[in-house]
Amino acid sequence: AYAAGVRMFAFDSEAELRKLARSAPGARVYCRILVGNLGAEWPLSKKFGCELEMARELMVLAGELGLDPFGLSFHVGSQQTQTAAYEAAIARVAMLFTDLRDAGVKVRMVNLGGGYPVRYRSEVPEIDDFGAAIMGAMTEHFGNALPDIVIEPGRFIVGDAGVVSAEVVLVSRKAKDDPVRWVYLDIGRFGGLAETEGEAIKYAFRTPHDGAADGPVTIAGPTCDSTDTLYEKSNYRLPLALDCGDRVELLATGAYVTTYASQAFNGFRPLAEHYV
Amino acid sequence: AYAAGVRMFAFDSEAELRKLARSAPGARVYCRILVGNLGAEWPLSKKFGCELEMARELMVLAGELGLDPFGLSFHVGSQQTQTAAYEAAIARVAMLFTDLRDAGVKVRMVNLGGGYPVRYRSEVPEIDDFGAAIMGAMTEHFGNALPDIVIEPGRFIVGDAGVVSAEVVLVSRKAKDDPVRWVYLDIGRFGGLAETEGEAIKYAFRTPHDGAADGPVTIAGPTCDSTDTLYEKSNYRLPLALDCGDRVELLATGAYVTTYASQAFNGFRPLAEHYV
């Protein structure tokens, strides 16, 4: 990456920092700290980041290794529906900022990560609400000495841009008097809808029978795998008239869907992409 | 499929049966029933199959629709470690068999599905144990009038045939005094190890430092996604000497790994396949 011109890198461990000192001498580096992910429908809380005390030591070490200890970052989790998550995380970063300035490290940047939510089935705060909450917290903690602010609003930008067109493969019941129908689609967890794991991201559906009488459904993908079940506990309802061959649309599937698609599980081809 | 010469089909619902009567007139059909999956590390219990009573009615209907109601099937779940799961399922099938014969339907086949386990980290019964348990149960319930028996031992046949060669990308700790190290590999949940979801399938590891002192680890994949964490609760231990750049081998990964691989999540290419 350094050879290709990248001059700013994230890190969260000593081993990574020493790799950077070797491979990207003098580069700007920023440390990711662990923050709460409460309120996020797709949490990203544990895998990256380190505790504040360790971040402090690593930022000092970065300077000693000839790197530029440029900033701090965090991630409040993807599809974050609570503005308070950003406020709490900014307070945490501000504490460390002060500590580091006291230790002689001139931190100049805060990366607020991503997480801004898309409207799937339920209402979420407007992006302006997030903006107001974030700028309020930044001003409260940093006053007029605002650092550079970086944000990474991936899902928010592209989520609404994608629609998956799927076909109903089968509608069935497991027993004759079962009130819940199973609706099988030709796309599922391994065709790109990986974020339905644990029913985390709840996509909205549009069908040719919208408005007609509906009933409870379990929605599943096409493969032989039982884990390829999208929604069983999230109280989805679909029209009773829905039948094999009907096309349904999954809305706001612009984020991450095509890249998650498996290359051939059960022989299904990856999703075809059409841009309009 | 019918046009390509397939003459036997599984079904578990009336809609599917009517589709078959239209598209595959006269074909042999068999109904999948729901059975317990206790003991399976990768359960396949809910998505396919129907209750016994409904199976009985559907098999009768199959004959009325001009199809050949040929048999019954079930699946006790993949990586099934208990021979008793087959015994219980066979008892269930036998009941229905008798019912159907009484109703004038000449059922001639039982498909026992798959599920025979591969040895990953822990001992599993030998394939002979499964064979003995299954034939014991079949003889007990069917006597000398054994139906045709079909089995689908996918994982058991190919599981041991595959080894994934992965590179350690980083070894880190989240805090300085954390006893648990995080080991990041260049393969993860979206690179083919989808069956590590919920830490269900626990692959065995081989490293260049095996035999040396080890310690507790969390093992993660390379992507930005927190769910791309393989083992956190399964008490994995890896050598303390393990470092970035080391190659580790994941054993018995012949089953399903390459087909689960996502086509480009986070820009990672699908796993390269080498046959020796």
Side-chain angles (χ1 to χ4, degrees):
Chain A
Y2 187 77
V6 179
R7 289 293 176 271
M8 187 155 75
F9 299 88
F11 72 96
D12 66 359
S13 69
E14 185 175 334
E16 199 71 3
L17 198 56
R18 292 190 183 274
K19 268 200 264 181
L20 286 168
R22 256 194 329 271
S23 317
R28 291 177 164 181
V29 294
Y30 60 100
C31 188
R32 177 156 163 186
I33 63 168
L34 289 165
V35 300
N37 270 211
L38 205 71
E41 296 184 356
W42 193 256
L44 303 168
S45 57
K46 292 178 312 186
K47 191 172 171 187
F48 301 102
C50 62
E51 295 295 343
L52 284 189
E53 175 58 22
M54 183 163 141
R56 206 188 67 83
E57 290 179 20
L58 290 178
M59 286 291 280
V60 172
L61 177 63
E64 293 168 5
L65 291 173
L67 294 160
D68 177 4
F70 187 63
L72 298 169
S73 80
F74 63 79
H75 204 298
V76 296
S78 196
Q79 186 70 4
Q80 173 57 261
T81 59
Q82 306 291 334
T83 56
Y86 289 94
E87 293 166 338
I90 288 168
R92 225 168 134 73
V93 160
M95 270 195 305
L96 182 51
F97 229 77
T98 311
D99 263 16
L100 284 169
R101 294 237 164 185
D102 290 351
V105 179
K106 302 253 173 310
V107 205
R108 287 149 288 159
M109 184 272 286
V110 175
N111 181 337
L112 306 172
Y116 312 97
V118 170
R119 181 172 293 104
Y120 293 109
R121 283 211 307 176
S122 38
E123 292 298 309
V124 294
E126 296 293 334
I127 192 72
D128 291 348
D129 299 333
F130 284 96
I134 287 169
M135 284 317 293
M138 289 299 291
T139 311
E140 180 190 335
H141 292 288
F142 292 93
N144 287 326
L146 283 185
D148 291 353
I149 300 175
V150 174
I151 60 170
E152 305 174 347
R155 182 192 305 276
F156 178 76
I157 291 178
V158 300
D160 281 333
V163 174
V164 166
S165 171
E167 185 176 324
V168 176
V169 178
L170 179 68
V171 179
S172 71
R173 295 176 202 263
K174 298 290 163 190
K176 234 177 150 174
D177 52 356
D178 194 340
V180 178
R181 290 164 298 149
W182 278 66
V183 174
Y184 297 82
L185 304 178
D186 63 356
I187 184 172
R189 291 255 328 262
F190 304 106
L193 306 179
E195 292 192 327
T196 58
E197 179 181 340
E199 313 199 11
I201 297 295
K202 298 180 184 66
Y203 297 109
F205 284 74
R206 197 153 59 196
T207 81
H209 311 287
D210 285 353
D214 62 16
V217 290
T218 292
I219 303 174
T223 69
C224 71
D225 200 321
S226 271
T227 63
D228 187 12
T229 300
L230 308 179
Y231 303 114
E232 200 177 356
K233 299 162 200 151
S234 299
N235 301 315
Y236 271 84
R237 299 177 70 86
L238 286 174
L240 297 169
L242 199 67
D243 204 356
C244 318
D246 279 343
R247 292 206 78 85
V248 300
E249 289 181 334
L250 284 71
L251 309 182
T253 47
Y256 311 118
V257 168
T258 58
T259 64
Y260 270 124
S262 74
Q263 48 173 359
F265 187 55
N266 270 198
F268 288 99
R269 307 293 313 155
L271 202 62
E273 299 174 50
H274 306 280
Y275 297 88
V276 287
Chain B
Y2 187 75
V6 178
R7 289 292 178 274
M8 185 155 74
F9 298 88
F11 72 95
D12 65 0
S13 70
E14 184 174 336
E16 199 70 5
L17 198 56
R18 291 191 183 275
K19 269 201 265 180
L20 286 169
R22 255 194 330 271
S23 317
R28 289 177 165 181
V29 295
Y30 60 99
C31 187
R32 176 157 163 183
I33 63 169
L34 290 165
V35 299
N37 269 211
L38 204 70
E41 297 184 355
W42 193 257
L44 302 169
S45 57
K46 293 180 311 187
K47 191 172 172 186
F48 301 101
C50 62
E51 295 295 343
L52 284 190
E53 175 57 23
M54 183 164 143
R56 206 186 68 83
E57 291 180 20
L58 290 178
M59 286 290 281
V60 172
L61 178 62
E64 292 167 6
L65 292 172
L67 294 162
D68 177 3
F70 187 62
L72 298 169
S73 80
F74 62 79
H75 204 299
V76 294
S78 196
Q79 187 67 7
Q80 173 57 259
T81 59
Q82 306 290 335
T83 55
Y86 290 94
E87 293 165 338
I90 288 168
R92 225 168 134 73
V93 161
M95 270 196 306
L96 183 51
F97 229 79
T98 311
D99 263 16
L100 283 169
R101 294 237 166 184
D102 291 350
V105 180
K106 301 252 172 314
V107 205
R108 287 149 287 158
M109 184 272 287
V110 175
N111 180 336
L112 307 171
Y116 312 96
V118 171
R119 182 172 294 107
Y120 293 110
R121 282 211 309 176
S122 38
E123 292 298 309
V124 294
E126 297 293 334
I127 193 71
D128 291 348
D129 300 333
F130 285 97
I134 287 169
M135 285 317 294
M138 289 298 292
T139 311
E140 180 190 334
H141 293 289
F142 293 93
N144 287 327
L146 282 185
D148 290 352
I149 300 176
V150 174
I151 60 169
E152 305 175 348
R155 183 193 304 276
F156 178 76
I157 290 178
V158 299
D160 282 332
V163 173
V164 166
S165 171
E167 185 176 325
V168 176
V169 178
L170 179 69
V171 179
S172 71
R173 294 175 203 263
K174 298 291 162 191
K176 236 178 148 175
D177 52 355
D178 195 339
V180 178
R181 291 163 298 149
W182 278 66
V183 174
Y184 297 82
L185 304 178
D186 63 355
I187 184 171
R189 292 253 330 259
F190 304 107
L193 305 180
E195 291 190 328
T196 59
E197 179 181 339
E199 313 198 10
I201 297 295
K202 298 181 185 67
Y203 296 109
F205 284 74
R206 196 152 60 193
T207 82
H209 311 287
D210 284 355
D214 62 15
V217 291
T218 291
I219 303 175
T223 70
C224 72
D225 200 322
S226 272
T227 61
D228 187 12
T229 300
L230 308 180
Y231 303 113
E232 200 177 355
K233 299 163 199 149
S234 300
N235 301 315
Y236 271 84
R237 300 176 68 87
L238 286 174
L240 298 169
L242 199 68
D243 204 359
C244 320
D246 279 344
R247 293 205 78 85
V248 300
E249 290 181 332
L250 284 71
L251 308 183
T253 48
Y256 311 119
V257 168
T258 58
T259 64
Y260 269 124
S262 75
Q263 47 174 358
F265 186 54
N266 270 198
F268 288 98
R269 309 293 313 155
L271 201 63
E273 297 173 51
H274 305 280
Y275 297 89
V276 287

